[in-house]
């Protein structure tokens, strides 16, 4: 019977076995069953099933899951995916069991701890470098099915793959203002790359309009309601530790242009037309300006009339105007994407435009006298109306107010003689032009001039003479000319001529190179005779020459050398080591003497700087050392004689090392040191000596005396048997000099002497070829342990003893007798 019915339904056939198959049941329904035994007597009681039985196909464990794959491997994790089994065993899958086995081990271990129905799992906490294999099983209400086939061995390490980038956009993108656009693509790489968006090399940041979305495999930059400022070069960078890839897109957000830049300039205005100009828009909307639209309007009307819509220039002629009417001009810029807002001009009246004349160029001043000057200029542009008058003005250079040169009209000439100047004053002049419109701007001022009569050439210089000479030069002197020609003497020209030649040569090329009344003519030939002459020069030119009366023979004028010592050579010089030594003297003599510096009759040190000038000489030694001290001499010599001066230089320094360090009277606890004073005391009295000792086994010196002035010292408190080195240095007020050190160490022991003779020598046995001897120790060992005994023998009657051997003990057997 069905579980929800009470009536039993008989099975249509009778069985004799202990099992039966019931047909015709409905799948999914629950049934109860009962059975009774029957024999020839009759039917026995029924036995009923205790529980209802649900009719369905037989249930088994699921098949093995399929397609177990490794999706990602890092140094400490593995991610796996799989597909469900083809047959679930007749029951829903309740969970999956993932197992792993470390390579080298025998058993698989369960990885998942809880029920898991997802078909993707990441195993965490693995050890880098370990190798595993994995398998997965499916479970249903019956139990756990067979495991899947194992994966290949997987080693835990970071997978490395360079980035890849696949973009959905091209190199260039044009977008209208207000529209949205996006840049998308796909990427990959291991480890997972970092995605960066740049615009014109600046990182793009998200805001209300800009959105960036990045998934593990896709990327997207979206911009809502684009504006012109979004125009730029966009770059997406996909980068990981193995490299990087970049993608670029030039985005141009286009719009209609901004208005042309004003103001509108009226370049020309006439009664029937105008010429206007303007500047292009600051923003062309991302597209080239294709044309400008120009319109005009009579200010008394509201109607704008077209002028042109096809010009690409930023200038335009506005025709067909009515004289006397005021007009406004309106200008639009146009590109592929629309027409800009207009630029509107100011009001302008249509009439012929005239102006005052331009300023003349800088005038030129001629024919200057003490009370007048002639001003000349060129005609300027008349401003559209003829020039009717010129106005000439003057002022003193240091004044600020300009004064008209005359009240009378000056026209049509461009030249005017200005009268009534004050002699000696400096003047400037300027000119203005005038027409019926008015007076134009004045010209630039002329160059300043002095009101005085024209300058004449000066008279010749007075009394030129030769005042000195050498083997290649002559010094000339003269007096100024008696008349300067009303002009300042600029300078003098000097010329010379070799006797017998016809040509005069210039000693100086320009007069301003000799403004004084003396000059030294150089480059002459020794022994030759020359004539000389001098000319004075002012603004008007050169004077007649004035001659030196007699020819001059070029040769040295002899004067014996003379030395004037500076204070640093007047007495013995003391200089501290490291300072600079300076010796100098003033030198006189004709010709200039030859200068020689010496030290102790030898050449001075190469480090000495010697400077010789036309008036003296200086010797300088920087960073002096003690060896720079000594007797320095300065010798000056010329054909008229010679002179020498000397000065002693003492370089004050630390003393040199003491001499002849000697050690004597060595004992087990002391020794006696002596030495001699240094050869060089450094220029100062020795104040004391420093004595130090050192155990040869130690690296440190120990001072044992530092204040003694004596040249000897008793070194006490030595350790017996220890070897010592000693050193001594001298000190003066400038410091401590170098040490002198003992060459060999000394050992702290008392002096040694030979030991005494052995005692009680006698024989204890005798044979035909040998004798056995014994003896006792001597009374004294000489201060050291006895190291052996020398045994000698002498044949009776012989003079010499024969050495047998040295023995360490108190007995010996002498053989070979």
């Amino acid at each position: 019977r069905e579980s929800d019915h009470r009536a039993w339904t008989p099975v249509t056939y009778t069985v004799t076995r202990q099992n039966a198959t019931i047909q015709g049941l409905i799948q999914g329904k629950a049934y109860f069953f009962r059975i009774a035994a029957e024999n020839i007597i009759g039917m026995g009681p029924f036995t009923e099933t205790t529980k209802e039985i649900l009719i369905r196909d037989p249930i088994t464990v699921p098949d093995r899951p399929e397609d177990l794959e490794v999706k990602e491997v890092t140094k400490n994790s593995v991610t796996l995916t799989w597909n469900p089994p083809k047959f679930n065993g007749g029951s829903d899958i309740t969970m999956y069991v993932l197992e792993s086995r470390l390579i080298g081990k025998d058993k698989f271990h369960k990885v998942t701890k809880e029920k898991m129905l997802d078909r993707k799992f990441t195993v965490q906490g693995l050890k880098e470098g370990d190798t595993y294999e994995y398998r997965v099983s499916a479970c249903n209400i019956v139990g756990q099915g067979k495991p899947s086939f194992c994966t290949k061995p997987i080693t835990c390490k970071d997978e490395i793959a360079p980035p890849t980038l696949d973009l959905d956009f091209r190199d260039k993108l044009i977008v209208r203002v207000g529209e949205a656009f996006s840049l998308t693509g796909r990427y990959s790489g291991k480890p997972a790359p970092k995605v960066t968006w740049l615009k014109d090399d600046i990182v793009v940041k998200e805001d209300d309009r800009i959105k960036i979305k990045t998934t593990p495999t896709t990327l997207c930059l979206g911009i809502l309601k684009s504006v012109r400022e979004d125009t730029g070069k966009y770059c997406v960078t996909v980068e990981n530790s193995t490299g990087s890839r970049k993608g670029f897109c030039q985005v141009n957000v286009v719009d209609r242009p901004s208005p042309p830049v004003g103001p509108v300039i009226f370049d020309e205005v006439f009664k029937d037309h105008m010429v206007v100009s303007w500047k292009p828009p600051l923003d062309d909307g991302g597209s080239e300006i294709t044309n400008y639209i120009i319109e005009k309007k009579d200010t008394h009307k509201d109607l704008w009339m077209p002028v042109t819509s096809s010009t690409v220039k930023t200038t335009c002629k506005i025709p067909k105007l009515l004289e006397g009417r005021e007009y406004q001009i309106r200008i639009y810029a146009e590109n592929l994407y629309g027409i800009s807002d207009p630029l509107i001009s100011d009001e302008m009246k249509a009439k012929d435009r005239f102006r005052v004349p331009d300023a003349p160029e800088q005038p030129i001043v001629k024919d200057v006298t003490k009370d007048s000057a002639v001003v000349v200029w060129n005609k300027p542009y008349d401003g559209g109306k003829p020039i009717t008058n010129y106005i000439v003005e003057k002022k003193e250079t240091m004044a600020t107010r300009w004064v008209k040169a005359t009240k009378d009209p000056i026209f049509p000439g461009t030249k005017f003689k200005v009268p009534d100047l004050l002699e000696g004053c400096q003047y400037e002049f300027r000119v203005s032009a005038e027409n019926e419109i008015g007076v134009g701007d004045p010209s630039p001022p002329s160059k300043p001039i002095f009101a005085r009569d024209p300058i004449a050439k000066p008279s010749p210089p007075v009394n030129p003479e030769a005042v000195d000479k050498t083997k290649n030069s002559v010094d000339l002197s003269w007096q100024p000319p008696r008349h300067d020609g009303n002009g300042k003497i600029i300078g003098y020209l000097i010329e010379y001529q070799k006797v017998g030649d016809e040509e005069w040569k210039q000693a100086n090329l320009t007069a301003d190179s000799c403004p004084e009344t003396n000059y030294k003519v150089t480059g002459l030939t020794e022994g030759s005779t020359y004539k000389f002459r001098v000319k004075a020069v002012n603004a008007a030119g050169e004077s007649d020459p004035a001659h030196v009366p007699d020819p001059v023979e070029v040769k040295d004028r002899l004067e014996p050398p003379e030395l004037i010592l500076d204070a640093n050579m007047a007495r013995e010089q003391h200089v501290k080591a490291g300072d600079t030594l300076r010796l100098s003297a003033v030198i006189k003599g004709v010709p200039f003497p030859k200068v020689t510096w010496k030290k102790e009759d030898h050449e001075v040190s190469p480090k000495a700087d010697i400077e010789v000038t036309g008036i003296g000489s200086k010797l300088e030694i920087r960073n002096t050392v003690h060896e720079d001290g000594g007797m320095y001499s300065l010798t000056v010599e010329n054909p008229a004689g010679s002179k020498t001066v000397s000065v002693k230089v003492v370089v004050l320094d630390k003393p040199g090392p003491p001499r002849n360090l000697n050690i004597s009277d060595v004992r087990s606890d002391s020794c006696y040191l002596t030495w001699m004073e240094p050869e060089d005391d450094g220029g100062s009295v020795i104040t004391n000596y420093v004595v130090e000792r050192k155990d040869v086994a130690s690296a440190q010196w120990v001072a044992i005396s530092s204040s003694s002035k004596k040249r000897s010292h008793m070194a006490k408190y030595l350790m017996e048997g220890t070897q010592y080195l000693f050193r001594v240095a001298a000190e003066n007020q400038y410091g401590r000099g170098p040490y002198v050190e003992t060459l060999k160490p000394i050992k702290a022991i008392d002096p040694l002497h030979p030991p005494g003779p052995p005692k009680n020598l006698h024989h204890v046995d005798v044979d035909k070829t040998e004798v056995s001897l014994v003896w006792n120790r001597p009374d004294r060992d000489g201060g050291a342990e006895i190291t052996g005994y020398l045994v000698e023998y002498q044949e009776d009657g012989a003079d010499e003893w024969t050495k047998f051997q040295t023995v360490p003990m108190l007995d010996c057997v002498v053989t070979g007798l």
Side-chain angles (χ1 to χ4, degrees):
R1 68 177 176 87
E2 295 179 8
S3 60
D4 54 353
H5 290 71
R6 302 186 66 84
W8 291 91
T9 303
V11 177
T12 58
Y13 63 91
T14 301
V15 295
T16 59
R17 294 166 296 161
Q18 282 82 37
N19 58 67
T21 300
I22 294 90
Q23 303 288 343
L25 302 180
I26 299 172
Q27 185 171 353
K29 287 215 171 188
Y31 292 89
F32 286 95
F33 297 92
R34 68 181 183 179
I35 187 169
E38 186 178 15
N39 60 15
I40 58 173
I41 303 300
M43 183 183 297
F46 282 92
T47 298
E48 186 177 339
T49 56
T50 58
K51 293 182 180 181
E52 62 181 25
I53 296 172
L54 182 66
I55 302 303
R56 58 185 177 184
D57 290 335
I59 300 175
T60 64
V61 294
D63 289 351
R64 58 169 53 93
E66 296 188 342
D67 304 328
L68 176 61
E69 292 183 0
V70 178
K71 288 299 185 182
E72 184 177 1
V73 179
T74 69
K75 64 183 179 181
N76 55 15
S77 68
V78 175
T79 301
L80 303 105
T81 63
W82 57 89
N83 290 327
K86 289 184 178 179
F87 178 60
N88 62 6
S91 176
D92 292 339
I93 302 296
T94 58
M95 70 174 180
Y96 290 96
V97 177
L98 181 66
E99 297 174 303
S100 70
R101 181 175 72 88
L102 180 64
I103 298 300
K105 303 290 184 179
D106 296 331
K107 294 184 178 180
F108 277 86
H109 296 279
K110 188 176 179 181
V111 173
T112 53
K113 303 299 182 182
E114 300 176 355
K115 285 188 176 183
M116 179 181 66
L117 282 174
D118 291 340
R119 295 193 300 278
K120 180 177 180 181
F121 189 77
T122 299
V123 184
Q124 302 282 359
L126 303 181
K127 184 178 179 182
E128 184 175 7
D130 285 353
T131 303
Y132 298 86
E133 61 182 8
Y134 294 88
R135 68 186 186 186
V136 64
S137 304
C139 298
N140 62 10
I141 60 173
V142 176
Q144 181 174 336
K146 293 181 180 180
S148 67
F149 296 109
C150 292
T151 63
K152 293 180 180 180
I154 302 163
T155 301
C156 293
K157 61 181 180 180
D158 285 334
E159 291 187 347
I160 297 176
T164 63
L165 184 60
D166 183 17
L167 302 176
D168 298 331
F169 51 85
R170 297 184 179 181
D171 294 342
K172 293 184 179 179
L173 179 65
I174 297 177
V175 182
R176 287 295 297 267
V177 165
E179 293 180 353
F181 68 91
S182 63
L183 306 177
T184 61
R186 291 159 298 285
Y187 72 99
S188 65
K190 296 182 180 180
K194 177 184 177 182
V195 178
T196 305
W197 288 93
L198 304 175
K199 173 180 173 285
D200 297 330
D201 297 327
I202 298 174
V203 175
V204 177
K205 296 182 179 179
E206 285 191 287
D207 57 22
D208 294 339
R209 290 192 313 108
I210 301 174
K211 306 296 180 183
I212 298 175
K213 182 178 180 181
T214 305
T215 71
T217 58
T218 63
L219 49 85
C220 176
L221 169 66
I223 296 182
L224 308 174
K225 296 181 181 179
S226 59
V227 295
R228 284 282 294 138
E229 289 72 17
D230 294 329
T231 297
K233 186 175 184 180
Y234 289 79
C235 170
V236 59
T237 302
V238 180
E239 182 178 13
N240 66 9
S241 58
T242 65
S244 65
R245 292 291 301 274
K246 292 184 178 181
F248 296 93
C249 182
Q250 179 65 46
V251 176
N252 190 12
V253 180
V254 295
D255 193 10
R256 63 188 186 120
S258 63
V261 176
V264 176
I265 299 173
F266 293 87
D267 296 313
E268 297 179 20
V269 178
F270 297 93
K271 63 184 179 181
D272 59 350
H273 71 277
M274 301 177 184
V275 177
V276 297
S277 62
W278 60 93
K279 293 181 180 179
L282 294 175
D283 180 12
D284 62 4
S287 178
E288 185 178 356
I289 300 297
T290 57
N291 61 282
Y292 292 96
I293 300 171
I294 296 94
E295 299 174 335
K296 65 181 179 181
K297 186 186 78 165
D298 187 333
T299 56
H300 294 91
K301 300 179 181 179
D302 293 332
L303 180 64
W304 287 93
M305 300 294 294
V307 175
T308 180
S309 60
S310 60
T311 181
V312 295
K313 298 180 180 180
T314 56
T315 182
C316 180
K317 179 179 179 180
I318 313 297
K320 300 179 181 179
L321 305 180
L322 298 176
E323 185 175 5
R325 295 289 185 92
E326 289 186 340
Y327 290 89
Q328 279 185 296
I329 310 299
R330 185 165 72 178
I331 304 168
Y332 299 88
E334 184 175 7
N335 64 8
L336 291 175
Y337 302 101
I339 300 174
S340 71
D341 293 334
L343 168 67
I344 301 177
S345 73
D346 294 333
E347 298 176 355
M348 177 58 66
K349 182 179 289 187
K351 65 175 183 178
D352 287 338
R353 178 184 287 180
F354 304 109
R355 62 174 186 263
V356 297
D358 290 348
E361 297 176 354
Q362 183 184 39
I364 299 172
V365 182
K366 298 181 178 179
D367 301 335
V368 180
T369 67
K370 64 181 179 180
D371 59 1
S372 67
V374 175
V375 180
V376 181
W377 62 93
N378 293 324
K379 179 182 177 181
Y381 171 66
D382 60 10
K385 293 292 184 178
I387 293 174
T388 57
N389 183 34
Y390 291 105
I391 300 169
V392 177
E393 297 174 295
K394 66 179 179 181
K395 79 174 183 72
E396 294 184 24
T397 302
M398 302 305 294
T400 57
R401 190 168 68 89
W402 289 90
V403 179
K404 287 185 178 181
T406 179
K407 295 181 179 179
D408 298 331
I410 304 173
F411 190 78
T414 56
K415 178 172 66 174
F416 181 73
K417 183 176 181 178
V418 180
D420 304 325
L421 303 182
L422 296 177
E423 184 176 4
C425 289
Q426 191 177 35
Y427 287 92
E428 294 176 354
F429 302 91
R430 70 181 187 184
V431 181
S432 305
E434 184 179 4
N435 63 11
E436 66 180 51
I437 306 300
V439 178
D441 293 333
S443 69
S446 68
K447 293 182 180 179
I449 58 96
F450 283 96
R452 57 191 175 195
D453 289 334
I455 299 173
K457 295 180 180 179
S459 61
V462 177
N463 297 333
E465 59 179 340
V467 296
D468 198 2
K469 61 182 180 178
T470 68
K471 63 182 180 181
N472 57 11
S473 67
V474 173
D475 287 5
L476 302 177
S477 178
W478 59 90
Q479 295 177 7
R482 291 187 175 88
H483 303 288
D484 60 9
N486 293 324
K488 179 183 177 181
I489 300 296
I490 299 171
Y492 299 90
L493 293 175
I494 295 88
E495 298 177 329
Y496 62 92
Q497 180 191 57
K498 194 172 183 178
V499 173
D501 292 350
E502 294 183 359
E503 180 185 4
W504 286 88
K505 297 181 179 179
Q506 283 189 296
N508 61 329
L509 298 178
T510 59
D512 55 7
S513 64
C514 178
E516 306 296 332
T517 57
N518 54 75
Y519 190 79
K520 187 181 190 74
V521 182
T522 58
L524 305 178
T525 303
E526 184 176 7
S528 298
T529 303
Y530 292 87
K531 296 179 180 178
F532 298 92
R533 67 185 186 184
V534 184
K535 299 177 182 178
V537 180
N538 66 5
E542 302 172 5
S543 71
D544 293 333
H547 292 262
V548 175
D550 299 317
V552 180
E553 183 181 0
V554 178
K555 62 181 180 180
D556 279 337
R557 175 172 55 85
L558 297 180
E559 287 185 7
E562 183 180 353
L563 283 171
I564 302 174
L565 301 181
D566 290 346
N568 54 29
M569 289 189 67
R571 58 184 180 275
E572 182 176 288
Q573 289 294 303
H574 287 207
V575 58
K576 190 174 180 180
D579 290 351
T580 299
L581 169 66
R582 292 184 179 87
L583 303 175
S584 57
V586 176
I587 302 172
K588 294 183 178 180
V590 180
F592 190 79
K594 176 185 176 183
V595 178
T596 305
W597 287 91
K598 289 191 175 182
K599 176 192 173 190
E600 311 289 358
D601 295 329
H602 295 89
E603 295 294 329
V604 295
S605 169
K607 74 176 187 178
D609 292 331
I610 298 176
E611 180 183 354
V612 179
T613 65
I615 59 171
S617 180
K618 179 173 70 173
L619 178 143
E620 187 174 279
I621 299 178
R622 298 181 179 87
N623 299 318
T624 53
V625 295
H626 189 70
E627 291 72 16
D628 293 328
M631 187 65 71
Y632 286 79
S633 64
L634 170 60
T635 301
V636 291
E637 182 179 9
N638 70 5
S642 66
K643 190 171 184 179
T644 301
V645 294
S646 298
V647 62
K648 183 179 180 181
V649 175
V650 178
V651 179
L652 303 175
D653 197 1
K654 298 177 290 188
R659 297 175 295 152
N660 302 338
L661 176 61
N662 185 44
I663 301 178
S664 60
D665 296 341
V666 179
R667 296 287 185 269
S668 61
D669 61 349
S670 67
C671 64
Y672 189 67
L673 284 70
T674 59
W675 60 86
M676 297 177 64
E677 68 277 356
E679 289 185 356
D680 178 15
D681 62 3
S684 179
V685 177
I686 301 296
T687 57
N688 60 283
Y689 293 95
V690 177
V691 184
E692 296 181 348
R693 77 177 185 201
K694 183 181 78 164
D695 184 340
V696 293
S698 172
Q700 186 174 3
W701 289 92
V702 178
I704 57 177
S705 175
S706 59
S707 59
S708 175
K709 295 184 179 180
K710 297 189 297 182
R711 295 190 296 276
S712 62
H713 181 74
M714 176 65 75
K716 298 180 179 180
Y717 310 112
L718 306 182
M719 294 182 66
E720 184 174 1
T722 302
Q723 294 187 2
Y724 291 95
L725 289 171
F726 294 87
R727 65 181 185 181
V728 182
E731 286 188 353
N732 63 9
Q733 64 174 331
Y734 300 105
R736 181 181 300 176
Y739 285 91
V740 61
E741 188 175 332
T742 55
L743 300 177
K744 296 180 180 179
I746 61 99
K747 190 172 185 181
I749 57 174
D750 291 329
L752 300 178
H753 302 284
K759 298 174 65 177
N760 193 21
L761 173 65
H762 60 279
H763 66 275
V764 294
D765 194 9
V766 178
D767 199 350
K768 62 181 180 179
T769 60
E770 60 184 32
V771 175
S772 295
L773 303 175
V774 295
W775 60 89
N776 295 330
R777 291 180 177 276
D779 292 334
R780 63 182 186 277
D781 59 9
E785 184 180 353
I786 293 175
T787 59
Y789 298 91
L790 176 62
V791 180
E792 298 177 326
Y793 64 87
Q794 181 187 59
E795 190 174 344
D796 191 19
D799 294 332
E800 295 183 357
W801 287 86
T802 301
K803 292 182 178 179
F804 174 64
Q805 67 182 27
T806 300
V807 297
M809 307 302 292
L810 297 174
D811 58 66
C812 178
V813 178
V814 181
T815 60
L817 300 178

